[in-house]
Amino acid sequence: MLAGAAVRALGAVDEVRRPADPQAAWLTYSSVDAHHVFPVGTSVPDTMLMLGVSEIEASARDELQLGLRLMLHRVLRVAASADSLQANDVLVVGTEEEIAEWKPSLKIAKPLGPEGFRLRRVVAGKKTWLIVEGADERGVLYGAFALLRLIAEERSLAGLNVVEAPSAPVRWTNEWDNPDGSIERGYAGRSIFFDQGAVRGDISRIAGYARLLASVGINGCTINNVNADAKLLQAENLREIARVSAIFRTYGVRLSLAIDMSSPQSIGGLTTFDPLAPEVVAWWKEKIDEIYSVIPNFGGVVIKADSEGRPGPSQYGRTPAEAANVLARALKPHGGVVLYRGFVYNHHLDWKDAKADRARAGYDNFHELDGKFDDNVIVQIKHGPIDFQVREPGSPLFAGLQKTNEAIELQITQEYTGQQRHLVYLVPMWKEALDTDMRASAKTPSRVQDIVTGKTFGQAGGGFVGVANVGLDDYWLGHPLALANLYGFGRLAWDPALTSATIVDEWTRLTFGNDPQVRSVIDSMQLNSWHIYEEYTGPLGAGTLTDIIGIHYGPGIESSERNGWGQWHRADQDGVGMDRTVATGTGYIGQYPAALAAKYESLKTCPDELLLFMHHVPYDYRLHSGKTVIQHIYDTHYAGAAAAAAQVGAWESLEDKIPERTYFEVLRRLRYQAGHAVVWRDAVAEWFHETSGVDDHLERVDKHPNRIEAEAMELTGYAPVAVMPWETASEGRAVVCKGLGGCSASSTFARPDGWYDVAVQYFDLRNGASRFTLQVNGTAIDEWTADDVLPSDKMDGHTATRHVVSGVALHKGDTIRVIGAPEGEEPAPLDYLEITSSSASRPVRARVAAR
Ligand code: GCV
């Protein structure tokens, strides 16, 4: 349809993005050098011709106006109609159909793929048209964002000719938000959607989020936890959810809901939720019709069933396919889909059974159902067979379903990868999964990305789901640099062939500008970060050696053993690793197509980085690298912690080039991460040392010449206690202060005079904010409050924290004292001091004393 007028006010976008507002994320639209974008012979358009009037095209128009105004300082006039168009330099925006209707000569025979776009610059006599052409309305919006990205990157538009379409129709995020406003595995504040049991009154953050999603081509968002609360399907809640959907709609994002399979019983009042019972089938149909009556562009439902205690069809002897199809048939007339999660497993496995294996569950539960799912059902499969560990192989289920739509589930929220306190750019990890060649077909490529985009088996209804869990935090995900993961998820879903380096460089440029130093430092910090994190956490595919049955954050090496959850690494005094071979193990490897199974089955060809996922080996087993397994564990943990520390210096080199607030937000986290990496290093290295009895060739493990244990200091008020798990405190012990007036721990410095860095290792519990003061000869040289909100109220691997005071002048015989003042339920717990020669070039002043 040709647009006559209908120009929506610019306000909507302006409200979302205020200058220098972190909420703008990568849509900062900083000024660019117009000469790069419009080189000699070209000029910046001054007029925009909007050929369509839909809500989504209006969003495209607003975005283009905003972006050009901020980046090129050009306020675009919107032409009232195509007929009245006088200007020579025009930005033309519309769908293929609208453009062909406006100027038939511009029609290109080959149609764009669904949701795709074409950007081109056409010169016709005196007229120059910069054309944003979409296959449909979403394509127009995606084209607008793509053009703005090119401008932000200062690319020349002189020969503009770009044609793109997304790799797959499903490009969704899942948000694990609960109606009470909490977010399961969310690390960035409370829900932007819900509060106190219902949709929030203030939903102002939602437009900003939808805009970010659309800017990278995400077209769906499931707003509630897969551990779903059935009451969200009640009429009054659906009406409220419709408010959210109306905002999403303007950015082409379809809202969807996670559902609880027992809803027909729990909120519907039926006596059963057997998916095949006629009254249950009727209930779902009616409910889905009701949803569409209030949310006309509803995307569909996500189902977690028979998993981690959730109700499911197995209760009635029904299969996931039978359950999924009931929903699929109710959704079909409306164009909705079912995402049925392949994350179905028994969490009461017998850990003593050497053949039991959680990794087998996805394939075992779904493989036989291949071909039994309706065509609007998509099986949503986590990228690895366990649960978002720091390293896993691609799930064999990807190749196990050949007649079923599949979506890969990637986790943007860093549940097992540092919870947005540690910098971990996840795109390289996702790329490894997506690039894994399943060797499932001799004729067609069968990388995981080929399978989920339908190229291998022709099942083209699936795609990509990213568990985002953004929150009310200004930076959406907590860590400002973690936004590269949300950005990267969208870009990969659009085009999984993009490289990790390309994606991060785009993100850096859009977020921080085109300064080469900024790009090079941030890109390389991000690109190295996953490897660094893996080095100091979970080695060789053993999994993240964290507190598996709890919060999944700090080290907790034994927690995965001797329970039914099946995240075992099976480390004992003789060796480590899960034997998943066909020959002697759980048989998991046999779930892969033969060629890939052969590679994993043989120790000769199994890649080192997956060794302990696939095999159980003795500690002196030699890797392809030539190192023994145990020495590799020691070396990588030391290397990883050192590399984490080096990230701090890299970031500091950008001090003058990053907006101040963001600079300090990141710096604080990197410093914390460097300290926590030492906690990880020591916990893992010392646990394996103790368990294996094998010494570190480089004599680092369990040897800390610069350390002064708190329990060995002269204590006033402080009392020694044992810490559990033992490996999360130096020597397994710390001291706590029970006296309200404060306690102190002192030591006489016995080393040569010089400049030193003093690291104070303590525990920062969630339920208190103790004060610490560091004194030298009675003069306070630093003081701080342990007021971080780490995810535990105990002394353990989650709360172990380090505060470093750099550049302290110490003389032999000085008295070093830590004074701890408890607050709340936190007894100012202290673990040790570590005093190392300082690299700092300037001394600290006695800040506190001088005040
Ligand atoms: C939403 C893991 C997480 C759970 C999560 C589950 C899932 O087990 O720890 O919090 O539940 O995966 O993906 O369903």
Side-chain angles (χ1 to χ4, degrees):
M1 190 206 332
L2 288 189
V7 176
R8 202 171 56 166
L10 240 184
V13 170
D14 264 352
E15 270 162 33
V16 176
R17 189 217 166 274
R18 294 179 194 93
D21 182 351
Q23 290 175 28
W26 55 83
L27 298 175
T28 51
Y29 297 143
S30 313
S31 292
V32 298
D33 186 340
H35 297 105
H36 290 152
V37 186
F38 292 96
V40 180
T42 65
S43 46
V44 188
D46 50 25
T47 303
M48 173 157 39
L49 174 62
M50 288 300 304
L51 296 174
V53 291
S54 71
E55 276 180 318
I56 297 178
E57 285 169 292
S59 295
R61 181 204 57 217
D62 290 356
E63 200 67 37
L64 287 165
Q65 284 188 311
L66 177 74
L68 266 69
R69 179 161 62 76
L70 294 176
M71 289 191 284
L72 294 164
H73 311 287
R74 174 61 54 100
V75 177
L76 287 188
R77 199 173 61 81
V78 180
S81 74
D83 304 336
S84 69
L85 191 65
Q86 303 292 333
N88 285 335
D89 276 307
V90 184
L91 177 59
V92 182
V93 182
T95 62
E96 268 183 320
E97 208 183 315
E98 288 157 355
I99 284 173
E101 200 180 325
W102 169 59
K103 283 246 175 295
S105 59
L106 288 177
K107 184 175 164 66
I108 290 189
K110 189 163 181 254
L112 292 164
E115 303 178 84
F117 61 81
R118 182 183 293 116
L119 307 177
R120 52 187 159 141
R121 187 167 167 274
V122 176
V123 183
K126 282 196 190 145
K127 306 260 184 208
T128 302
W129 297 309
L130 200 59
I131 304 177
V132 176
E133 177 178 15
D136 42 35
E137 295 162 4
R138 275 205 195 94
V140 171
L141 182 59
Y142 300 150
F145 278 115
L147 180 68
L148 290 167
R149 186 165 61 237
L150 294 175
I151 297 173
E153 292 183 2
E154 297 186 329
R155 310 265 182 205
S156 164
L157 300 184
L160 182 67
N161 188 9
V162 175
V163 181
E164 289 189 23
S167 71
V170 172
R171 305 182 308 282
W172 289 18
T173 65
N174 283 181
E175 315 289 336
W176 290 350
D177 295 33
N178 299 310
D180 66 3
S182 62
I183 305 178
E184 182 156 351
R185 315 297 179 188
Y187 310 108
R190 290 175 62 78
S191 171
I192 65 171
F193 301 108
F194 301 108
D195 193 25
Q196 297 180 28
V199 171
R200 303 183 73 82
D202 173 6
I203 52 174
S204 53
R205 290 292 295 271
I206 295 173
Y209 188 45
R211 176 172 170 250
L212 290 179
L213 296 180
S215 75
V216 285
I218 294 170
N219 62 1
C221 176
T222 311
I223 63 169
N224 66 313
N225 192 352
V226 290
N227 292 327
D229 187 329
K231 73 172 182 296
L232 286 180
L233 293 184
Q234 286 167 336
E236 63 275 20
N237 285 322
L238 290 175
R239 277 196 300 277
E240 287 296 295
I241 290 168
R243 291 199 291 135
V244 178
S245 174
I247 299 171
F248 275 4
R249 203 175 54 214
T250 57
Y251 286 98
V253 178
R254 290 175 88 181
L255 181 145
S256 48
L257 290 173
I259 58 163
D260 179 333
M261 283 304 292
S262 70
S263 304
Q265 191 175 51
S266 60
I267 58 162
L270 303 184
T271 55
T272 177
F273 67 91
D274 175 355
L276 297 192
E279 66 271 33
V280 171
V281 174
W283 190 88
W284 279 120
K285 181 167 176 347
E286 214 173 293
K287 185 49 78 181
I288 297 292
D289 289 345
E290 180 192 343
I291 294 177
Y292 278 93
S293 72
V294 281
I295 308 173
N297 65 332
F298 186 67
V301 299
V302 176
I303 301 176
K304 172 176 179 179
D306 292 316
S307 172
E308 302 185 329
R310 304 297 303 176
S314 72
Q315 189 167 324
Y316 299 97
R318 311 299 188 196
T319 68
E322 285 168 326
N325 292 345
V326 168
L327 271 300
R329 285 164 202 169
L331 286 156
K332 181 94 178 174
H334 304 284
V337 296
V338 175
L339 275 293
Y340 200 101
R341 295 178 89 228
F343 188 63
V344 175
Y345 72 102
N346 169 12
H347 66 281
H348 298 290
L349 289 174
D350 177 5
W351 72 273
K352 289 191 228 97
D353 177 359
K355 299 286 177 195
D357 187 359
R358 168 170 164 186
R360 293 187 56 109
Y363 188 97
D364 284 346
N365 286 314
F366 283 83
H367 172 61
E368 291 201 343
L369 300 175
D370 193 18
K372 300 207 165 106
F373 291 95
D374 282 8
D375 64 3
N376 60 333
V377 177
I378 298 135
V379 176
Q380 178 171 322
I381 305 167
K382 290 192 182 190
H383 80 262
I386 298 278
D387 193 10
F388 305 128
Q389 301 300 287
V390 67
R391 165 98 54 183
E392 291 188 44
S395 168
L397 185 56
F398 289 115
L401 296 177
Q402 309 200 348
K403 291 177 257 166
T404 306
N405 291 313
E406 296 174 47
I408 186 169
E409 181 178 313
L410 302 168
Q411 199 185 40
I412 298 162
T413 189
Q414 295 171 231
E415 178 180 353
Y416 285 96
T417 49
Q419 305 191 352
Q420 282 106 279
R421 290 174 177 274
H422 292 233
L423 172 65
V424 184
Y425 174 54
L426 293 163
V427 173
M429 178 171 103
W430 299 336
K431 283 290 286 181
E432 293 225 349
L434 288 165
D435 291 346
T436 301
D437 186 350
M438 286 280 157
R439 302 171 72 178
S441 161
K443 287 184 259 132
T444 38
S446 59
R447 293 168 306 173
V448 170
Q449 59 173 286
D450 302 316
I451 294 173
V452 298
T453 54
K455 292 193 188 77
T456 310
F457 305 122
Q459 296 298 326
F464 298 76
V465 176
V467 181
N469 296 0
V470 297
L472 284 173
D473 179 87
D474 269 351
Y475 292 89
W476 300 98
L477 285 170
H479 198 312
L481 302 187
L483 276 165
N485 290 326
L486 181 60
Y487 181 86
F489 167 74
R491 296 293 288 137
L492 272 186
W494 183 272
D495 179 3
L498 289 171
T499 67
S500 305
T502 302
I503 293 173
V504 81
D505 191 46
E506 281 180 13
W507 177 81
T508 303
R509 294 171 86 151
L510 299 183
T511 308
F512 296 112
N514 293 298
D515 180 312
Q517 188 203 351
V518 171
R519 285 171 57 198
S520 124
V521 169
I522 297 181
D523 290 3
S524 84
M525 285 176 70
Q526 294 270 27
L527 287 167
N528 293 331
S529 60
W530 170 46
H531 183 60
I532 293 173
Y533 185 80
E534 181 182 27
E535 284 197 309
Y536 62 76
T537 56
L540 301 168
T544 312
L545 297 173
T546 187
D547 166 31
I548 286 296
I549 45 177
I551 30 208
H552 307 168
Y553 178 59
I557 293 103
E558 273 182 79
S559 66
S560 60
E561 306 306 289
R562 287 174 285 283
N563 61 55
W565 289 85
Q567 288 184 240
W568 310 313
H569 49 67
R570 303 267 193 220
D572 58 18
Q573 72 271 25
D574 301 319
V576 54
M578 273 291 289
D579 182 358
R580 294 193 159 105
T581 61
V582 175
T584 55
T586 68
Y588 160 85
I589 291 176
Q591 295 183 335
Y592 288 101
L596 188 54
K599 175 175 163 185
Y600 290 148
E601 180 84 7
S602 158
L603 278 168
K604 282 209 179 67
T605 49
C606 182
D608 282 350
E609 69 263 19
L610 287 174
L611 179 72
L612 302 182
F613 194 91
M614 305 292 178
H615 296 271
H616 184 82
V617 294
Y619 290 108
D620 60 2
Y621 177 81
R622 279 203 189 272
L623 301 168
H624 296 115
S625 68
K627 275 189 190 170
T628 61
V629 163
I630 191 73
Q631 194 59 38
H632 174 95
I633 293 175
Y634 298 149
D635 289 352
T636 49
H637 282 78
Y638 275 83
Q647 298 270 49
V648 179
W651 182 252
E652 282 172 335
S653 72
L654 300 180
E655 178 163 5
D656 302 331
K657 299 196 166 187
I658 302 291
E660 195 180 9
R661 177 169 168 208
T662 304
Y663 174 78
F664 285 108
E665 287 284 349
V666 173
L667 183 62
R668 182 169 61 81
R669 285 177 171 79
L670 291 173
R671 284 186 175 151
Y672 164 80
Q673 178 184 355
H676 202 223
V678 172
V679 173
W680 267 100
R681 176 196 78 189
D682 291 349
V684 175
E686 287 172 21
W687 189 90
F688 276 96
H689 184 223
E690 173 82 14
T691 306
S692 69
V694 182
D695 283 340
D696 168 23
H697 289 164
L698 297 176
E699 298 188 352
R700 296 157 298 187
V701 179
D702 265 335
K703 298 193 168 34
H704 302 290
N706 299 324
R707 216 168 258 193
I708 307 170
E709 296 295 335
E711 57 275 17
M713 294 170 80
E714 193 182 311
L715 302 178
T716 308
Y718 265 124
V721 287
V723 172
M724 290 292 289
W726 64 265
E727 69 274 16
T728 59
S730 196
E731 308 280 342
R733 291 160 75 74
V735 299
V736 292
C737 177
K738 290 282 164 63
L740 282 178
C743 303
S744 72
S746 311
S747 180
T748 304
F749 186 65
R751 287 159 52 195
D753 297 359
W755 295 105
Y756 290 90
D757 294 340
V758 181
V760 181
Q761 189 74 25
Y762 63 102
F763 294 90
D764 191 341
L765 316 189
R766 186 175 45 191
N767 49 352
S770 311
R771 292 285 298 163
F772 287 99
T773 306
L774 178 66
Q775 289 183 346
V776 176
N777 295 334
T779 301
I781 60 161
D782 204 357
E783 62 178 14
W784 66 98
T785 305
D787 57 359
D788 202 345
V789 194
L790 288 155
S792 169
D793 49 17
K794 300 192 178 51
M795 290 181 277
D796 55 25
H798 312 301
T799 54
T801 305
R802 168 173 276 237
H803 180 88
V804 181
V805 187
S806 305
V808 182
L810 290 176
H811 302 274
K812 195 167 179 183
D814 281 352
T815 301
I816 303 172
R817 176 172 296 126
V818 177
I819 299 173
E823 197 276 335
E825 288 169 47
E826 186 183 69
L830 184 65
D831 189 356
Y832 63 84
L833 300 186
E834 189 147 56
I835 304 179
T836 48
S837 286
S838 182
S839 50
S841 51
R842 58 196 152 102
V844 289
R845 278 183 292 275
R847 287 189 286 260
V848 179
R851 255 181 237 148

